[in-house]
Amino acid sequence: MNIIKAENPIGVVVAFGGQTAIKLTKFLDEKGINILGTSAESIDVAEDRERFDALLESFNIFRPKGESVMSLNDALTSANRLGYPVLLRPSYVIGGQNMTIAYTDDDVKQYMDIILSQGIENPVLVDKYMMGTELEVDCISDGEDVLIPGIMEHIERAGVHSGDSIAVYPPYNLNDMMLEKICDISVKLALSLKTKGLVNIQYLIYQNELYVIEVNPRASRTIPYISKVTGVPMVELATKIMVGKGLKDLGYGTGLYRTPPYVAVKVPVFSFEKLNDVNSKLGPEMKSTGEVLGVGKNLNEALYKGLVSAGFKTDFHSKDRHGVLITVTKQDRYEIVNLAKKLDDMGADIWATPETAKAIESLGIEVSVVNKLRDDNSIMDLVESGKLDYIVYTGKSDKKSIADYIKLHNRANQLGIATLTSLDTANALADIIASRYNQRNTELVDINCMRKEKGTLKFSKMQGTGDDYIFFNNECGIITCPESFAIEFSDRHRGIGGDGIVLIEDSDIADAKMRIFNIDGSEGKMAGNSIRCVGKFLYDNDIVKKDKMLIETASGIKTLSLFTRNGKVSSATVDMGKAELMPDKIPVSLDGDKIIDRTVNIYGNEYKINCCSIGNPHCVVFVDNVDRLNLDKIGPQLETADIFPERINTEFVRVVNSNTLKMRVWERGNGETPACGTGACAAVIAAVENGYCNKGENITVKLRGGDLIVNYTDETVTLTGDCNLVYKGEIEY
């Protein structure tokens, strides 16, 4: 008031000060101070339970059933009338302060004793708690039109404060009917409250019905986030509206704003490592102290960026084992099995407390049992062992359980073990760990130069001996992050589907340049099957009209000789260059001049290996029967063995006769594929070096995708096989 008296302003803005400023509105209005934007009367309608309920009823809009109470007896009566669980909270609160979910009368008594001892002016709100999908909408209203720049969906279900939830824009699991309903109700509420400026509305979807949780006639924490990713200057628009401008004057109208071609996530950041002895368990009271923004082409890429930026460890694909402890309440046990299966599929070691372990074991998942804090072989012993990366915990809310959890969390925090108290967050993290995204294959998005709409790219899906890759003409350089492209478009469920992508680019030293990226986004140096298809692409599209051409690769320039039928290339021979047998050039961490028929022990199993490089590193293992091998198990073990510092492609080969080999292949980054051109070359090299085949002769290598012909001499290796166009198309990116 001293400042107001000194400055004598034409009005005061409360909309940008959060809940703290909103709480001052009534006082300022009573003093005759002009509130710019949404009036004090409208703010009170949104904050007052009974007035707001009356507004919702006038539009037949649902909200969770609730009542206002001023005493313990009233609170108990309301909770039992509504049915447990219930959400207890004071009105006019900031950050969910003093909110709790009560499951029993004892929870209500404990909560009301604390609240009443502080003295209250405003009533306590008792709401029926419904565990559904939470969404929030940011709107800008001028009193006549309502612009909706963004609708966000939370990863965590209702019950976790919106400030502590991961918010996804645009909503990832919302059907069009519900989207239309949300937009319609948002416009009605903003106009009926006579808001002028920003308004944030929180919704709940429970059993396919839409409920309004609350309306905040002010800026929310998501305003900067939505402004960045949509390009709508929300604060600027709201400010101009407060001083008399209209949305139409500013170039906008009513309705949902155009969705950009990105997915953005807001991930909360916490400071528990600096705040000792606090209960870090997520709930209706906000505990985050910051947030990060992740932007990507799809949900997984955006979530990966957000989680990594928030400090989560996502590298579960290194050679070390990773451990997760799971201990959850009775009501969460039926949900935990899905998370446990994801972790088991990733090869994580799982520990659990006895009852949780029983639920996990019901799926046939191996789990080690640990006891609670106060027993022998306890959780704390496991925490101190150094075997854990994550703890997933949903415990009871009584004082003893909270004290035990705080002790556990503090020690885990000191040791760098992340603790997750929401199963939704844990599931999202597991999905990202299981995805193929890492810091080397995500697209760098310039927040100042984001595209306003999706573009289109032409592609050719091509096959060489069953190996299918997606080919792009990238002479113009439009694809700047092929690592990310490879993950998205190689997906056979949601993308085009393939073993990877190939970019064809200009070259200063050859007819064209080829870059190849595996399904996990890692870049390959060379691909014998794909390079033949590159020749077909260049010839058939009249880019390079030669039957002999030079192609630049990451492992040098390769010569192609093309065979044509009816004016189209049908097959090709590739001069792969000289084979490399020196261990340090492959690379493989073993001594000697060659690694031929060398016995090694990998993950407790003995193998006789043969190693060479023919553009890519290879390990060849001769076996009696390739069809009976469990490649899903032994392939990853060999790929990530310590002796192969850059991972390895592994071929399992049976010698049929001196001119025929049968092979299955496990490619690094791709898993088992129908064929591998450089792998077929490696198989022949190993067979010749072992005396099974003759140098300088054509050797047929039979694969699931077809036959390849390899000729190995001291000077070079040639590879011959088919190349086929599957189809051409166009994609959005």
Side-chain angles (χ1 to χ4, degrees):
M1 284 303 297
N2 291 337
I3 293 170
I4 289 172
K5 287 174 183 176
E7 296 291 341
N8 192 28
I10 62 168
V12 173
V13 176
V14 297
F16 300 136
Q19 196 65 31
T20 303
I22 291 295
K23 290 171 71 174
L24 296 173
T25 306
K26 186 177 180 181
F27 168 82
L28 293 169
D29 186 57
E30 288 173 349
K31 296 291 184 182
I33 308 302
N34 181 32
I35 307 295
L36 294 178
T38 305
S39 68
E41 171 70 10
S42 294
I43 290 172
D44 191 63
V45 171
E47 294 287 337
D48 184 273
R49 161 59 59 87
E50 293 178 359
R51 298 186 71 184
F52 187 56
D53 281 350
L55 173 65
L56 294 180
E57 286 178 17
S58 68
F59 288 111
N60 196 29
I61 297 171
F62 296 111
R63 71 164 293 159
K65 290 181 180 178
E67 300 175 4
S68 301
V69 300
M70 296 291 290
S71 68
L72 171 60
N73 286 336
D74 288 346
L76 288 169
T77 301
S78 293
N80 283 278
R81 184 184 298 123
L82 294 169
Y84 289 106
V86 293
L87 180 69
L88 298 168
R89 61 192 174 105
S91 50
Y92 286 90
V93 297
I94 178 171
Q97 188 177 3
N98 295 329
M99 283 190 185
T100 191
I101 298 172
Y103 293 90
T104 65
D105 283 356
D106 288 339
D107 292 340
V108 174
K109 290 175 184 176
Q110 181 180 329
Y111 176 83
M112 291 300 293
D113 285 345
I114 295 171
I115 293 297
L116 293 172
S117 67
Q118 301 172 10
I120 58 172
E121 296 178 5
N122 298 307
V124 172
L125 309 178
V126 183
D127 290 321
K128 174 64 180 173
Y129 171 61
M130 296 183 288
M131 188 185 287
T133 300
E134 190 168 342
L135 304 105
E136 55 184 308
V137 180
D138 281 319
C139 306
I140 307 172
S141 173
D142 62 6
E144 294 181 4
D145 293 300
V146 180
L147 175 67
I148 303 174
I151 298 174
M152 293 144 283
E153 181 176 350
H154 294 177
I155 293 286
E156 291 79 7
R157 283 162 290 185
V160 173
H161 191 277
S162 60
D164 292 346
S165 296
I166 300 173
V168 180
Y169 168 81
Y172 62 95
N173 197 25
L174 192 65
N175 63 57
D176 289 337
M177 287 190 298
M178 189 62 75
L179 179 65
E180 190 174 280
K181 188 172 185 178
I182 289 170
C183 291
D184 179 59
I185 291 176
S186 299
V187 170
K188 286 178 178 176
L189 288 174
L191 294 179
S192 61
L193 285 169
K194 300 181 177 61
T195 52
K196 289 195 174 181
L198 295 167
V199 57
N200 173 267
I201 308 173
Q202 295 183 16
Y203 292 99
L204 170 71
I205 298 175
Y206 181 71
Q207 296 181 352
N208 293 321
E209 189 56 72
L210 183 67
Y211 296 83
V212 173
I213 299 175
E214 62 183 8
V215 176
N216 299 305
R218 56 174 173 81
S220 69
R221 68 182 59 79
T222 52
I223 293 298
Y225 154 53
I226 292 299
S227 295
K228 282 185 173 75
V229 297
T230 62
V232 177
M234 298 178 70
V235 172
E236 180 183 340
L237 294 180
T239 305
K240 289 178 177 177
I241 287 169
M242 287 178 188
V243 293
K245 291 283 187 180
L247 275 169
K248 286 190 172 68
D249 302 330
L250 299 169
Y252 296 88
T254 289
L256 185 64
Y257 189 69
R258 179 184 64 244
T259 303
Y262 298 96
V263 173
V265 296
K266 175 189 72 72
V267 180
V269 177
F270 302 87
S271 297
F272 296 127
E273 70 277 5
K274 297 177 181 135
L275 303 171
N276 295 322
D277 299 322
V278 297
N279 179 9
S280 68
K281 187 178 176 186
L282 298 186
E285 185 169 354
M286 192 175 91
K287 296 173 182 177
S288 62
T289 53
E291 58 201 18
V292 295
L293 172 66
V295 180
K297 293 191 303 299
N298 54 55
L299 177 59
N300 278 348
E301 186 177 23
L303 260 178
Y304 171 79
K305 289 182 178 182
L307 290 169
V308 168
S309 301
F312 287 91
K313 181 192 294 184
T314 62
D315 181 16
F316 261 49
H317 303 291
S318 67
K319 297 168 186 176
D320 299 325
R321 299 287 289 180
H322 297 273
V324 181
L325 166 66
I326 304 174
T327 175
V328 297
T329 57
K330 184 177 181 180
Q331 61 259 32
D332 290 331
R333 282 178 201 145
Y334 75 96
E335 285 194 52
I336 205 67
V337 290
N338 184 42
L339 174 63
K341 185 177 187 311
K342 292 177 184 178
L343 295 169
D344 185 58
D345 290 343
M346 287 184 277
D349 293 325
I350 300 174
W351 285 268
T353 45
E355 294 303 317
T356 302
K358 285 181 184 178
I360 295 172
E361 286 172 338
S362 67
L363 280 184
I365 294 172
E366 186 176 334
V367 56
S368 302
V369 179
V370 291
N371 294 319
K372 296 181 180 178
L373 279 177
R374 303 170 191 275
D375 302 325
D376 293 332
N377 182 33
S378 73
I379 289 175
M380 198 58 75
D381 296 327
L382 177 61
V383 168
E384 297 288 349
S385 72
K387 296 177 181 178
L388 288 181
D389 296 283
Y390 281 102
I391 296 172
V392 179
Y393 176 97
T394 65
K396 296 178 181 178
S397 57
D398 60 275
K399 288 183 179 179
K400 178 184 172 185
S401 296
I402 290 173
D404 285 348
Y405 169 68
I406 290 173
K407 178 182 176 184
L408 169 67
H409 176 258
N410 281 348
R411 187 57 183 146
N413 215 17
Q414 291 170 357
L415 297 172
I417 303 168
T419 304
L420 304 173
T421 60
S422 165
L423 296 187
D424 297 314
T425 310
N427 270 294
L429 179 63
D431 289 338
I432 295 310
I433 293 171
S435 78
R436 299 177 182 272
Y437 285 106
N438 57 53
Q439 292 187 49
R440 295 171 297 280
N441 63 23
T442 50
E443 182 181 8
L444 181 63
V445 177
D446 184 348
I447 202 75
N448 297 309
C449 301
M450 293 175 67
R451 298 194 308 273
K452 295 196 181 330
E453 56 188 27
K454 289 191 174 185
T456 57
L457 280 176
K458 295 183 184 299
F459 70 90
S460 294
K461 175 87 174 281
M462 304 183 80
Q463 276 189 356
T465 326
D467 258 359
D468 56 342
Y469 278 77
I470 308 156
F471 289 72
F472 295 95
N473 186 341
N474 196 42
E475 291 174 309
C476 60
I478 194 170
I479 299 175
T480 57
C481 186
E483 297 89 349
S484 178
F485 262 71
I487 292 178
E488 183 170 23
F489 296 124
S490 298
D491 189 313
R492 297 186 187 275
H493 180 57
R494 295 184 180 273
I496 299 166
D499 294 323
I501 70 170
V502 175
L503 303 187
I504 299 171
E505 301 176 341
D506 285 333
S507 172
D508 295 329
I509 56 176
D511 292 307
K513 181 179 180 181
M514 158 190 169
R515 296 180 70 199
I516 182 168
F517 296 86
N518 299 316
I519 199 169
D520 68 347
S522 59
E523 185 168 4
K525 293 182 178 179
M526 170 62 184
N529 292 328
S530 293
I531 196 171
R532 300 196 308 273
C533 293
V534 169
K536 179 177 176 64
F537 185 99
L538 293 168
Y539 187 94
D540 290 358
N541 288 291
D542 297 326
I543 299 171
V544 179
K545 208 67 175 180
K546 300 178 182 178
D547 57 8
K548 283 191 180 295
M549 59 180 69
L550 301 178
I551 305 298
E552 180 187 352
T553 73
S555 61
I557 296 176
K558 309 299 178 187
T559 303
L560 285 182
S561 299
L562 308 180
F563 301 93
T564 60
R565 293 182 191 176
N566 302 319
K568 302 286 186 182
V569 173
S570 55
S571 63
T573 296
V574 189
D575 186 337
M576 305 289 287
K578 189 173 182 178
E580 181 59 72
L581 298 176
M582 291 290 292
D584 61 327
K585 302 289 187 182
I586 295 171
V588 52
S589 303
L590 295 171
D591 57 10
D593 295 332
K594 297 180 181 179
I595 309 299
I596 300 296
D597 201 32
R598 181 79 64 90
T599 300
V600 295
N601 189 292
I602 296 174
Y603 287 98
N605 298 311
E606 278 197 356
Y607 297 94
K608 286 195 171 183
I609 64 171
N610 305 269
C611 298
C612 68
S613 176
I614 188 74
N616 290 318
H618 289 275
C619 170
V620 178
V621 179
F622 290 101
V623 296
D624 294 329
N625 191 323
V626 296
D627 297 313
R628 292 181 181 175
L629 295 175
N630 183 359
L631 249 61
D632 287 337
K633 179 180 180 181
I634 61 178
Q637 292 178 346
L638 283 155
E639 177 186 347
T640 61
D642 291 335
I643 60 173
F644 303 123
E646 296 180 10
R647 298 189 297 162
I648 202 86
N649 300 283
T650 307
E651 288 73 42
F652 300 89
V653 180
R654 178 171 77 88
V655 179
V656 179
N657 55 51
S658 61
N659 290 102
T660 309
L661 305 176
K662 187 175 181 181
M663 183 179 95
R664 285 175 67 190
V665 58
W666 182 271
E667 291 191 47
R668 58 177 181 172
N670 282 352
E672 184 174 11
T673 58
C676 177
T678 56
C681 295
V684 171
I685 293 165
V688 170
E689 293 293 329
N690 278 280
Y692 303 138
C693 301
N694 298 319
K695 193 174 287 188
E697 294 184 2
N698 287 340
I699 311 298
T700 299
V701 182
K702 292 188 167 295
L703 302 113
R704 292 183 171 183
D707 293 352
L708 290 168
I709 298 173
V710 179
N711 192 304
Y712 167 45
T713 67
D714 291 331
E715 292 75 30
T716 192
V717 182
T718 62
L719 172 70
T720 304
D722 64 355
C723 38
N724 304 289
L725 173 66
V726 181
Y727 58 84
K728 292 182 178 182
E730 195 173 78
I731 55 161
E732 286 189 328
Y733 72 100

